[in-house]
Amino acid sequence: MTSKNIVITAPNGLHARPVGELVKLVKSFADSAVTLSTPVKTVKASSMLSILSLGLKQGSEVEVKVEGGDEAQVLEAVSSFISSITE
Amino acid sequence: MTIKGIGTRGLAAGRAFMKPDVHMDVIFCGDATAAFKEAYDAVHADLEELAEKEDVFAAHLEMLEDPMLSESIEAFLGEDMPPVAAVQAACEQVCGMSEDTDDEYLRARVDDVRDVCRRLERKLCGDVFTWGDMEPGSVVVADELLPSDTAEMDMSKVSAFVTHRGSRTSHVCIIAGNHGVPVVVGTDISGITKGDVLLVDAYAGEVIVCPTPQQMKDFEARLDMEESSLGEVYEHRFEPAVTREGKKIPVFANAGNIGEVVSAMEAGADGIGLFRTEFVFMLSNQLPSESIQFETYRDAVLACKGKPLTIRTLDIGGDKALPYMDMPKEENPFLGLRGIRFSLAHPEIMCPQLRAILRASVFGPVRIMFPMVDTVEELSQALACLDECKLQLTQEGISFDRDIEVGIMIETPAAVIMADKLAQQCSFFSIGTNDLTQYIMAADRGNASVSYLYNALSQPVARAVAMTIDAAHRAGIRVAMCGELASDLNATALLLGLGLDAFSVASPAVPSVKENIRK
């Protein structure tokens, strides 16, 4: 298992459209289980409903965890996607 | 037996086709997890097939596949809950968690989740119901019809709709109106069973269930008469509507996309009195560029073949959100940031739209119409924005119609009261009676329990219409009407008496409204 903490920089937080893209990206890594955690709860990154229910705003911190598959590569791909959201 | 409700227009006879209620009281014994798995697979297969035809089902499929929903259902199954109860509990859990959000898009997904869960419950109850089993000429009878129902059924097989819930302006009535299908809503359907012969008189809002031979004969005579007079009316659809006093009244059509412009022209419309632009903004998951908008508006102008096209600027906000825009949740969307208020707050959306409309105006007569105008200040701001766009285009050497006419929708009490001042700043009014009625009467048009107040023919609304027309005529400008009331054949004489200059109606109503004006 490998993990990393990221601070959301997107001005509108993690809202529906980019989350849809994120879910697609996560689903493309069939061998890895990816989760997002806040101090309150942990959700699967393959569920749009779950991620949206976290209500991540700009400045929120989230922990990305990857288990299985090429963990380092998947972690890098997912965290850089989240950091690259600018809308 | 005769049952009563609220009707639209038209007559139809046919056999009842029931959308069944799901019986949740089925006693379940067996392997709950296996039963759920089977239902899930069956629903998945159904939705995959449906998604090829309608986008709404692709969204439903996405929600069905979302692990949050299926895991929640499995957790409840693990607590030995019977499958239907587990789906219901999971549905409430998922939707409840997401309803607190201020994300507009997520709340739309909540509706998709509910729709998908209903589908799973039906499968689990052994309900093999599909709209595909419907015979041609059916009268669809339902407690309530969801957008997914009308998207799934073959409208050419529907002769009428009869529902318990809903109002005259609800989704099903609008879809039915576009297909010329009569509807009676708000009626007690408990006495109807599958296959019953139903005579639907939407003018009177009445349904005769299992008619006597005499009732049947009378109704058939009325149907014949309507058909032959409709046929005759249809033949005269391209001729102008001239009143007995010799005044020529344009009858325009309302359109929401290019296809509807084409059918409006075939129905004999004298132009498009309301071209809704929301569809251009809903086509993709981002804001449409100026050039995409320009191409769309140009195509609409060309489809009008020289007849005027009135383009309404974006009427979005509140209940109608743009999925890709982060729009804050409002307590009262109908009293919130919508129509011109939204456009003025978002010049980055308003300016490209106005530029695109201006550029399209060289291809034929185009008019611009602003929705939801409340005050003279709003109109002045919008006109300033339009002037700025004209200046830019001139500097860029791009041509447009310099005399383009600008008008506004009259749909709030404030606009009615200030109509004299507003009339000095624009070339025409178009009264939007659907919203105007709900704002004047302070009655939600979707709420069946106050539907007795929602009556566009009531005195308060009629007075507002009269005040608007008087103010406009004193200022020397024209008034059209583009709400449902304009299509109401019972209102034509009244509206002409009040001095209305033009009608804008649903395409199928064009020939009969023209004929009514000639009487």
Side-chain angles (χ1 to χ4, degrees), chain B residues 176-198:
Chain B
N178 292 342
H179 288 87
V181 170
V183 186
V184 175
V185 298
T187 184
D188 175 18
I189 59 164
S190 58
I192 305 175
T193 43
K194 186 174 192 250
D196 282 351
V197 172
L198 303 179

Side-chain angles (χ1 to χ4, degrees), chain B residues 9 20 82 235 340 368 502:
Chain B
R9 48 202 305 275
E235 273 171 35
I340 194 159
I368 298 176

Side-chain angles (χ1 to χ4, degrees), chain B residues 5-244:
Chain B
I6 305 162
T8 56
R9 48 202 305 275
L11 301 173
R15 289 193 181 274
F17 182 81
M18 315 290 290
K19 175 189 169 185
D21 292 328
V22 184
H23 294 287
M24 301 297 179
D25 49 358
V26 179
I27 296 167
F28 185 81
C29 45
D31 182 346
T33 310
F36 168 66
K37 181 83 181 77
E38 196 180 310
Y40 177 95
D41 289 344
V43 168
H44 195 276
D46 288 351
L47 285 175
E48 264 184 337
E49 198 184 319
L50 291 164
E52 281 171 23
K53 283 177 272 173
E54 289 279 350
D55 287 344
V56 55
F57 297 112
H60 290 181
L61 193 59
E62 218 172 281
M63 290 304 109
L64 179 69
E65 287 174 350
D66 196 295
M68 185 178 184
L69 180 62
S70 39
E71 278 170 16
S72 172
I73 295 172
E74 278 156 15
F76 283 115
L77 289 173
E79 292 167 18
D80 283 338
M81 219 185 244
V84 173
V87 171
Q88 284 172 335
C91 181
E92 287 319 309
Q93 192 184 49
V94 170
C95 295
M97 205 180 290
S98 308
E99 264 158 7
D100 306 333
T101 171
D102 50 10
D103 189 326
E104 195 73 28
Y105 184 83
L106 179 55
R107 278 192 289 144
R109 297 288 74 75
V110 168
D111 291 339
D112 292 339
V113 170
R114 288 193 194 282
D115 211 319
V116 163
C117 289
R118 289 298 95 77
R119 221 174 249 280
L120 281 169
E121 289 159 20
R122 283 179 180 280
K123 268 299 177 229
L124 285 165
C125 294
D127 182 359
V128 290
F129 173 78
T130 77
W131 289 107
D133 294 341
M134 185 162 59
E135 300 281 336
S138 294
V139 175
V140 172
V141 180
D143 179 53
E144 184 182 26
L145 289 169
L146 303 173
S148 66
D149 289 319
T150 44
E152 203 175 321
M153 65 180 79
D154 178 354
M155 285 296 295
S156 70
K157 290 182 179 171
V158 179
S159 65
F161 289 115
V162 177
T163 71
H164 173 54
R165 280 189 260 186
S167 73
R168 229 183 146 292
T169 43
S170 58
H171 168 82
V172 57
C173 292
I174 291 167
I175 299 283
N178 292 342
H179 288 87
V181 170
V183 186
V184 175
V185 298
T187 184
D188 175 18
I189 59 164
S190 58
I192 305 175
T193 43
K194 186 174 192 250
D196 282 351
V197 172
L198 303 179
L199 307 179
V200 181
D201 178 351
Y203 297 112
E206 276 181 7
V207 181
I208 303 177
V209 184
C210 302
T212 62
Q214 185 59 43
Q215 285 174 318
M216 194 84 185
K217 222 174 114 194
D218 292 348
F219 198 84
E220 271 165 13
R222 284 184 64 197
L223 267 176
D224 281 350
M225 209 157 71
E226 183 170 83
E227 235 162 63
S228 63
S229 66
L230 273 184
E232 209 173 292
V233 166
Y234 197 70
E235 273 171 35
H236 297 293
R237 68 191 187 280
F238 292 117
E239 293 163 23
V242 181
T243 63
R244 274 199 189 169

Side-chain angles (χ1 to χ4, degrees), chain B residues 481-500:
Chain B
M481 178 178 287
C482 60
E484 295 279 325
L485 185 61
S487 308
D488 188 340
L489 296 179
N490 297 318
T492 314
L494 171 72
L495 295 173
L496 287 171
L498 293 176
L500 192 70

Side-chain angles (χ1 to χ4, degrees), chain B residues 369-383:
Chain B
M369 181 159 75
F370 295 115
M372 276 297 287
V373 174
D374 242 358
T375 66
V376 176
E377 289 72 26
E378 282 173 334
L379 178 54
S380 305
Q381 280 181 44
L383 291 172

